[in-house]
């Protein structure tokens, strides 16, 4: 892959999209101009570009043209996937116009993040026939976003990303409705997330992914044979990019590994030893981290550093520059300071386009069954030439977040103490000295003594009462489990159900992780 | 590329979600009164792992733990170390631990709240301990960190200085270092710095 071509690709894409915003614009030629110089980008985006092209044709239809003709023109390429049978389709695929209409009417997609991936995702999903989209993002638009977050203009700087992105795509793609949410993902109730058919992630942090994963897996229920109930499964499609590298993955909780099952895939963050920063800085990054981690606290007692405050960043930059001069180290710039402090990796527009096209396609596949879904983790590397691979990762059977846990049925009179004693004899657990928590409340902690004392009084209380009289729920236990030499400490998830309460003993929440 | 995506497929996925969505949307329209489980605190995977770390703590006698935020928030806690040997014997040092939601993928943030004259702890409470930064691994745990901190008091190390002056004195003249440590712990002045009494 010729790297120098990438900017051309993205400027070409950017300009084209922009020019088409104007309703009066002429139909642009098919996107075959500068694009083939980067074959991968063209290939990956083919579906989306084809759809985009369809929309361009649609806009050329005179306003008085027959509505149905418009409709068929608009979905011409999508129809090739949705109306015709095929041998690569999903098992329950039923092609037909009803499927297309249902996708428009009933599929509700949440896009998490309205940044580099989010902009692409909204555009791709809107052009793939989804009509009900929502987007959530807590950030405002910055000048440095404009090179790749193509829904934003210079005059949008400072406005919420979610709101502008939703507005721009709605202006551009008729019929699509996008509801923006300008807030943190943690601010929304669980009910908010439960409303969606599929959650698509365009995020840049492990924390945020981990949170959404816990929420989505929390909806999953298992039947008494430890099989996931399909109707409670909340599929996720996760995209991620770092420079010329990216991944797209499909998470079907209970079926494919969840984010926590494979969290070890993420390389540890590079951290410099503090003493190196303080004593023997060798690189520009060392100088910046010194100013950020050590010098800031010295100079601003009690005031926390805010990476989004330009004054704070400027202060760190100037301190870093002074230190770099002292040690004769070149290369400290304001941009690098931002990069090091906020852990920013340069984003490449074409990588975002490729990854989001893959994610949008998977979303369409999950929803419609028009093709079997990716199984289950696609990696893309465009650093040198091109490498792409699909790996089928496996679930962690004991995953505390998405796993079924161990089913335990109890009498309503069982106290916490009796419950803990029962765990010792449970054939699947054989757990002694258990500590117990329920929905973030620590019911009993065996150790350390200070916590044992605080929780001891719960031991004589019926577990049902401690679980807010809920007929069933997820309880986490930690203790020493197993037999003989294999005894080891572990955490386990339990699906607790009480006999004869609420009339439902066969429905067991898997979530609560 | 499209061909690659299509040809390497799941062999087992059995759902056509749209039928499900349709049923669900219709159910929602029909019965909006359905009361699900009320909102509750979402426990992160990091919290669950920390829970395990905490209940398995096996602290040396000289270390104690406390939870200022109560029994249901273990993500912030305090460790008090009272070294029973070495330069810092008799002193009492307080450390705060802040654990994030993706623990143990990321190390806890540890600060020393007691001002201390120490080559590896600066006057702002930053601690130079390898397992807190460059050598952190998810297999390590809270216990490892506490032992690491304890070790800093029994074996202060002049090779990884955060307090340069203290490191130089320790290297060049351990006896002077010992007396400066005693002065600082007793609540005195070392160089230009006042230390509060911690003995």
């Amino acid at each position: 892959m010729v790297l120098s071509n990438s900017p051309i690709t993205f400027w070409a894409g950017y300009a084209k999209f922009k020019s088409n915003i104007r309703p009066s614009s002429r139909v642009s030629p098919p996107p075959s101009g500068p694009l083939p110089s980067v074959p991968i980008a063209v290939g990956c985006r083919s579906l989306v570009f084809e759809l985009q092209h369809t929309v361009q044709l649609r806009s050329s239809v005179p306003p008085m043209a027959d509505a149905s003709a418009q409709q068929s023109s608009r979905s011409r390429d999508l129809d090739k996937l949705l109306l015709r049978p095929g041998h690569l389709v999903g098992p329950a695929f039923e092609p037909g116009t009803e499927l297309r209409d249902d996708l428009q009417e009933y599929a509700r997609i949440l896009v998490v993040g309205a940044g580099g991936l989010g902009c692409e995702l909204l555009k791709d999903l809107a052009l793939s026939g989804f009509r009900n989209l929502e987007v959530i993002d807590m950030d405002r638009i910055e000048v440095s976003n404009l090179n790749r977050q193509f829904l934003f203009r210079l005059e949008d700087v400072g406005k919420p990303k979610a709101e502008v992105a939703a507005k721009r795509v709605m202006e551009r793609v008729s019929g699509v409705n996008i509801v923006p949410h300008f807030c943190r993902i943690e601010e929304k109730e669980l009910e908010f997330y439960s409303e969606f058919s599929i959650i698509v992630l365009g995020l840049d942090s492990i924390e945020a992914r981990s949170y959404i994963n816990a929420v989505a897996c929390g909806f999953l229920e298992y039947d008494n044979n430890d099989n996931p109930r399909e109707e409670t499964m909340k599929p996720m499609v996760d995209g991620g990019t770092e420079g010329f590298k990216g991944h797209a993955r499909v998470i079907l909780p209970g079926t494919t590994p969840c984010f926590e099952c494979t969290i070890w895939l993420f390389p540890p963050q590079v951290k410099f030893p503090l003493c190196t920063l303080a004593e023997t800085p060798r690189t520009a990054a060392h100088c910046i981290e010194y100013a950020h981690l050590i010098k800031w606290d010295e100079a601003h007692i009690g005031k926390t550093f805010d990476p989004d405050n330009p004054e704070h960043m400027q202060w760190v930059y100037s301190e870093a520059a002074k230190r770099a001069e002292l040690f004769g180290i070149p290369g400290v710039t304001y941009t690098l300071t931002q990069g090091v402090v906020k852990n920013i990796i340069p984003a490449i527009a074409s990588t975002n386009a490729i990854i989001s096209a893959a994610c949008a396609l998977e979303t369409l596949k999950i929803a419609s069954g028009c093709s079997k879904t990716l199984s289950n983790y696609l990696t893309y590397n465009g650093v040198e030439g091109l490498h792409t691979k699909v790996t089928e990762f496996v679930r962690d059977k004991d995953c505390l977040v998405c796993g079924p846990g161990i089913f335990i049925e109890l009498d309503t009179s069982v106290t916490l103490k009796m419950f803990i004693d029962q765990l010792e004899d449970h054939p699947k657990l054989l757990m002694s000295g258990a500590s117990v928590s329920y929905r973030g409340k620590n019911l009993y902690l065996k150790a350390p003594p200070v916590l044992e004392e605080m929780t001891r009084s719960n031991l004589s209380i019926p577990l049902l009462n401690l679980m807010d009289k809920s007929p069933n729920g997820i309880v986490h236990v930690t203790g020493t489990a197993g037999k003989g030499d294999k005894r080891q400490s572990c955490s386990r998830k339990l699906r607790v159900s009480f006999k004869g309460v609420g009339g439902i003993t066969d429905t067991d929440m898997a979530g609560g992780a | 590329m499209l061909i690659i995506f299509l040809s390497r497929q799941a062999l087992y996925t059995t759902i056509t979600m749209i039928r499900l969505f349709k049923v669900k949307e219709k159910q929602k329209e029909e019965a909006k009164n359905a009361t699900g489980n009320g909102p509750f605190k979402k426990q992160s995977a990091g919290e669950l792992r920390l829970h395990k770390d905490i209940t398995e703590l096996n602290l040396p006698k000289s270390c104690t733990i406390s939870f200022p935020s109560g029994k249901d928030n273990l993500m912030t806690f305090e460790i008090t170390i009272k070294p029973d040997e070495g330069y810092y014997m008799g002193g009492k040092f307080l450390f705060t631990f802040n654990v994030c939601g993706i623990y143990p993928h990321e190390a806890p943030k540890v600060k020393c709240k007691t001002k201390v004259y120490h080559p590896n702890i600066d006057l702002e409470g930053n601690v130079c301990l390898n397992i807190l930064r460059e050598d952190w691994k998810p297999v390590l745990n809270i216990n490892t960190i506490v032992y690491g901190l304890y070790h800093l008091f029994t074996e202060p190390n002049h090779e990884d200085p955060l307090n340069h002056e203290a490191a130089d004195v320790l290297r060049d003249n351990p006896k002077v270092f010992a007396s400066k440590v005693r002065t600082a712990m007793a609540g005195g002045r070392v160089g230009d710095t006042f230390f509060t009494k911690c003995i």
Side-chain angles (χ1 to χ4, degrees):
Chain A
M1 173 169 170
V2 186
L3 297 188
S4 61
N5 278 333
S6 297
I8 299 174
T9 316
F10 114 45
W11 282 116
Y14 175 73
K16 189 158 74 67
F17 205 86
K18 196 175 174 183
S19 71
N20 285 331
I21 294 280
R22 284 180 231 115
S24 61
S25 73
R26 300 287 301 166
V27 177
S28 343
S32 56
L35 291 167
S37 53
V38 187
I40 173 62
V42 175
C44 278
R45 296 176 79 176
S46 62
L47 172 71
V48 167
F49 271 125
E50 221 177 305
L51 293 165
Q52 209 171 341
H53 183 47
T54 327
V55 178
Q56 287 157 14
L57 289 177
R58 199 202 119 264
S59 67
S60 70
V61 175
M64 51 283 269
D66 177 21
S68 67
Q70 261 196 25
Q71 178 58 41
S72 70
S73 164
R74 162 88 178 263
S75 60
R76 188 192 64 187
D77 297 283
L78 194 57
D79 287 352
K80 286 178 183 158
L81 294 172
L82 300 182
L83 305 189
R84 306 186 301 188
H87 57 269
L88 289 172
V89 297
F93 179 60
E94 288 173 36
T97 51
E98 193 192 346
L99 175 61
R100 185 185 65 199
D101 298 343
D102 285 351
L103 270 183
Q104 294 180 351
E105 194 171 344
Y106 298 110
R108 289 163 54 92
I109 314 290
L110 175 67
V111 175
V112 187
L117 275 172
C119 282
E120 290 278 350
L121 283 168
L122 285 171
K123 175 257 289 172
D124 290 353
L125 291 167
L127 292 170
S128 302
F130 292 103
R131 291 281 179 93
N132 304 305
L133 302 173
E134 301 199 15
V135 58
I136 180 167
D137 195 306
M138 58 179 274
D139 282 341
R140 292 175 184 275
I141 297 161
E142 290 179 40
V143 173
S144 62
N145 303 145
L146 298 178
N147 68 342
R148 63 193 185 284
Q149 298 174 21
F150 60 94
L151 297 170
F152 309 142
R153 305 283 171 272
L154 195 55
E155 62 267 25
D156 299 326
V157 169
K159 293 181 192 163
K161 286 185 177 181
E163 289 170 12
V164 177
K167 181 171 151 265
R168 288 281 144 73
V169 175
M170 282 196 287
E171 280 167 5
R172 181 67 181 76
V173 184
S174 65
V176 69
N177 183 41
I178 306 179
V179 182
H181 302 272
F182 172 47
C183 62
R184 301 180 63 87
I185 50 176
E186 300 90 346
E187 282 170 27
K188 291 285 180 191
E189 299 286 336
L190 296 180
E191 281 73 25
F192 169 78
Y193 293 102
S194 76
E195 298 283 299
F196 297 97
S197 328
I198 301 173
I199 300 176
V200 189
L201 309 181
L203 289 164
D204 60 359
S205 85
I206 298 178
E207 286 93 333
R209 284 192 177 86
S210 177
Y211 181 81
I212 297 281
N213 181 71
V215 170
C217 292
F219 297 125
L220 183 68
E221 292 173 15
Y222 283 88
D223 64 20
N224 284 355
N225 297 317
D226 289 354
N227 293 316
R229 294 172 182 274
E230 282 187 357
E231 68 274 21
T232 63
M233 185 191 288
K234 185 78 61 193
M236 282 172 281
V237 180
D238 175 43
T241 70
E242 262 189 20
F244 288 100
K245 299 175 188 169
H247 78 254
R249 68 188 291 190
V250 172
I251 299 177
L252 306 171
T255 304
T256 67
C258 84
F259 184 72
E260 291 307 329
C261 293
T262 57
I263 194 163
W264 50 270
L265 282 170
F266 288 89
Q269 223 184 325
V270 179
K271 292 214 165 148
F272 309 117
L274 281 182
C275 29
T276 301
L277 303 182
E279 288 300 311
T280 50
R282 294 182 301 277
T283 66
H286 287 161
C287 299
I288 294 164
E289 281 290 70
Y290 176 77
H292 167 219
L293 295 173
I294 296 175
K295 203 76 187 165
W296 176 270
D297 284 345
E298 264 178 48
H300 305 82
I301 290 161
K303 188 166 153 194
T304 30
F305 174 77
D306 174 12
D308 294 322
N309 183 330
E311 277 175 35
H312 290 195
M313 194 61 83
Q314 188 62 43
W315 188 91
V316 167
Y317 162 64
S318 62
E319 284 299 317
K322 276 185 226 165
R323 189 164 176 81
E325 204 185 328
L326 187 68
F327 285 87
I329 297 167
V332 172
T333 61
Y334 185 74
T335 316
L336 184 71
T337 307
Q338 281 184 307
V340 169
V341 170
K342 291 177 150 187
N343 206 15
I344 297 173
I345 288 133
I348 307 293
S350 51
T351 313
N352 284 342
I354 291 161
I355 292 302
S356 99
C359 291
L361 188 55
E362 290 310 316
T363 310
L364 181 64
K365 282 154 63 173
I366 294 171
S368 69
C370 72
S371 175
K372 288 168 193 161
T373 55
L374 179 80
S375 175
N376 43 40
Y377 200 118
L378 169 99
T379 48
Y380 161 82
N381 186 340
V383 176
E384 258 181 82
L386 171 84
H387 183 257
T388 175
K389 184 176 189 295
V390 176
T391 310
E392 189 173 341
F393 283 103
V394 293
R395 291 175 63 207
D396 173 0
K397 290 281 172 249
D398 296 325
C399 179
L400 295 177
V401 177
C402 76
I406 294 163
F407 179 67
I408 291 190
E409 204 174 26
L410 297 172
D411 286 319
T412 53
S413 59
V414 168
T415 62
L416 181 57
K417 173 82 170 70
M418 290 157 77
F419 172 68
I420 290 172
D421 291 344
Q422 279 190 22
L423 300 179
E424 285 197 44
D425 303 323
H426 193 285
K428 285 185 183 167
L429 273 165
L430 302 168
M431 181 181 278
S432 58
S435 297
V436 184
S437 72
Y438 170 69
R439 289 189 169 183
K441 283 189 299 182
N442 289 315
L443 303 184
Y444 182 69
L445 291 159
K446 175 86 177 161
V450 53
L451 292 175
E452 199 276 336
E453 213 169 282
M454 283 192 230
T455 51
R456 196 185 300 151
S457 60
N458 281 342
L459 285 173
S460 57
I461 300 174
L463 186 60
L464 182 63
N465 293 16
L466 293 169
M467 289 171 63
D468 312 320
K469 302 264 180 190
S470 175
N472 44 56
I474 296 296
V475 166
H476 287 97
V477 293
T478 298
T480 315
K483 260 188 199 160
D485 292 347
K486 286 180 183 163
R487 281 188 78 73
Q488 56 174 7
S489 72
C490 62
S491 292
R492 288 285 178 266
K493 176 161 135 183
L494 306 180
R495 276 149 54 212
V496 171
S497 180
F498 291 98
K499 289 176 197 160
V501 182
I504 318 159
T505 49
D506 61 339
T507 306
D508 312 295
M509 294 283 291
Chain B
M1 272 319 284
L2 192 60
I3 292 160
I4 294 176
F5 287 155
L6 291 171
S7 59
R8 299 195 187 158
Q9 295 300 341
L11 299 172
Y12 51 78
T13 309
T14 58
I15 10 164
T16 301
M17 300 303 289
I18 191 66
R19 307 267 170 258
L20 229 49
F21 305 156
K22 194 173 174 179
V23 172
K24 275 197 206 168
E25 286 290 320
K26 287 193 169 160
Q27 280 171 348
K28 220 161 38 189
E29 284 158 26
E30 285 161 16
K32 287 213 166 176
N33 57 345
T35 48
N37 288 304
F40 57 92
K41 198 180 118 202
K42 205 81 207 153
Q43 225 174 351
S44 65
E47 251 177 296
L48 294 170
R49 158 64 195 262
L50 182 72
H51 194 274
K52 179 165 171 282
D53 278 20
I54 293 290
T55 54
E56 284 170 10
L57 277 177
N58 185 10
L59 298 176
K61 276 198 188 116
S62 50
C63 301
T64 52
I65 189 168
S66 65
F67 299 88
S69 327
K71 69 175 179 66
D72 291 332
N73 181 5
L74 307 185
M75 301 298 264
T76 58
F77 57 90
E78 293 175 350
I79 293 276
T80 306
I81 300 180
K82 288 182 190 165
D84 47 15
E85 55 175 294
Y87 295 108
Y88 297 91
M89 194 167 77
K92 186 177 162 186
F93 304 95
L94 180 71
F95 290 85
T96 55
F97 280 60
N98 271 296
V99 183
C100 68
I102 54 165
Y103 177 79
H105 189 75
E106 220 168 79
K109 291 191 169 59
V110 177
K111 286 256 181 180
C112 181
K113 288 294 169 187
T114 310
K115 204 171 202 180
V116 55
Y117 181 76
H118 192 293
N120 313 114
I121 302 175
D122 72 15
L123 300 174
E124 275 66 48
N126 294 305
V127 183
C128 188
L129 182 64
N130 62 337
I131 53 171
L132 285 176
R133 293 191 56 86
E134 74 274 17
D135 289 333
W136 171 255
K137 306 250 179 329
V139 293
L140 301 178
N141 57 32
I142 302 297
N143 220 44
T144 336
I145 298 174
V146 176
Y147 273 89
L149 294 174
Y150 179 72
H151 184 73
L152 280 184
F153 287 101
T154 54
E155 306 277 336
N157 162 15
H158 66 79
E159 282 165 10
D160 300 319
L162 265 189
N163 181 336
H164 201 101
E165 194 268 335
D168 287 350
V169 177
L170 173 63
R171 184 192 57 212
D172 299 335
N173 199 336
K175 276 189 182 160
V176 174
F177 178 77
S179 90
K180 287 191 169 188
V181 169
R182 301 314 294 180
T183 309
M185 290 201 303
R189 208 174 84 159
V190 178
D192 293 335
T193 313
F194 281 103
F195 291 85
T196 39
K197 188 169 187 256
C198 67
I199 204 157

